[in-house]
Amino acid sequence: MDLRKEDIPALTWHHLVRLTMEECGGRAKLSDLGDFLAAHPKAKKNPHFRDRIRATVYEHRDQYISCGNGVYALSYAVA
């Protein structure tokens, strides 16, 4: 199963954002996250998905570190 294309009930925005950032090497711009996730079924059901992505990053400040200018990094190293 490819979580980047599936919308299962247990899949949260936090899971999607974290997975996408891991694929980007652990660091990404909010605008890029929105671009990467725009085709996901969860985003297609939510016209305000970019706001939801931003809110997710703010809600989990212990896992996403602000690098300035809308860029965030994961709080852990990506292998």
Side-chain angles (χ1 to χ4, degrees):
M1 176 184 324
D2 187 352
L3 295 179
R4 293 166 299 181
K5 298 178 183 172
E6 299 292 326
D7 187 18
I8 56 175
L11 184 64
T12 66
W13 279 105
H14 178 52
H15 293 122
L16 285 173
V17 169
R18 199 169 68 201
L19 174 67
T20 304
M21 287 188 72
E22 286 176 354
E23 290 178 353
C24 292
R27 186 178 172 125
K29 292 171 111 178
L30 285 176
S31 59
D32 291 340
L33 290 172
D35 293 344
F36 293 138
L37 292 170
H40 193 276
K42 212 169 197 53
K44 290 180 179 179
K45 291 192 288 186
N46 182 350
H48 305 288
F49 73 92
R50 290 181 186 273
D51 294 331
R52 182 67 255 165
I53 292 168
R54 185 176 56 250
T56 298
V57 171
Y58 294 159
E59 290 164 359
H60 298 276
R61 291 180 188 259
D62 60 323
Q63 295 191 32
Y64 304 107
I65 300 166
S66 175
C67 300
N69 296 326
V71 177
Y72 286 83
L74 293 171
S75 62
Y76 56 90
V78 177

